[in-house]
Amino acid sequence: MRFSSFMTASLTAALLAAAPLASAQTTDRRVITLDGAKAILAAAEAEAVKNKWTVAIAVVDESGNLIAFHRIDDTQVGSIDIALGKARTAARMKRPTKALEDAVAGGRTVMLAIEGITPLEGGVPVMLDGRVIGAVGVSGVTSQQDARVAQAGAAALKR
């Protein structure tokens, strides 16, 4: 056997032996695609339009990075940052932002020290197979109405 053939065979054997180890160190994960984000936006917008609510809608990935955004005409400009903040908070904290709002209202003002959170109702995680894969945040009307629009959007991927 030539040296190069021996080295190739040895390297191949080493890689095959390491394959189970590599798969134990990584994971497959589901993510929200752009098409998925568009479906979330469409469902959320439909709920808002049905109720004649002007809102901003943000869809983020599991880390809170923006995938897609939509602002219905005449929505207040301040709702842009609030919607994105709600979505990021729901994704990163893996819970609806209502839970954080309730904690602060209940006296856990220490929650306000967490950098980058928006503890206002209207952010909802997007779940798939029991895992948070992103979130949707809405701002523009009351917090309860924002949450209703966000929930309609998050439910779009369950269909």
Side-chain angles (χ1 to χ4, degrees):
M1 180 182 283
R2 295 179 47 199
F3 182 73
S4 62
S5 298
F6 174 75
M7 290 302 291
T8 302
S10 296
L11 182 57
T12 302
L15 290 173
L16 289 174
L21 180 61
S23 66
Q25 295 173 349
T26 62
T27 185
D28 291 328
R29 64 184 178 96
R30 309 277 302 266
V31 298
I32 299 173
T33 63
L34 180 57
D35 284 341
K38 288 177 181 179
I40 291 169
L41 287 176
E45 180 183 0
E47 180 68 19
V49 168
K50 175 180 83 176
N51 291 288
K52 296 181 173 72
W53 296 334
T54 56
V55 296
I57 307 160
V59 179
V60 299
D61 65 16
E62 66 185 292
S63 298
N65 295 307
L66 186 64
I67 300 171
F69 180 84
H70 181 73
R71 182 172 61 127
I72 294 175
D73 293 342
D74 296 324
T75 300
Q76 62 193 7
V77 174
S79 289
I80 295 169
D81 292 332
I82 296 168
L84 182 54
K86 288 178 179 183
R88 284 184 170 150
T89 299
R92 293 175 179 170
M93 301 300 284
K94 297 184 177 189
R95 67 196 71 185
T97 54
K98 172 78 166 114
L100 301 171
E101 180 180 330
D102 289 347
V104 171
R108 294 271 306 151
T109 56
V110 70
M111 299 293 288
L112 297 174
I114 303 171
E115 186 176 338
I117 70 160
T118 304
L120 303 171
E121 184 176 8
V124 177
V126 176
M127 307 288 293
L128 185 64
D129 299 329
R131 295 183 49 93
V132 173
I133 61 167
V136 56
V138 176
S139 177
V141 284
T142 69
S143 290
Q144 296 83 10
Q145 292 166 335
D146 289 345
R148 194 163 128 193
V149 173
Q151 289 162 351
L157 289 188
K158 295 178 184 173
R159 295 180 190 143

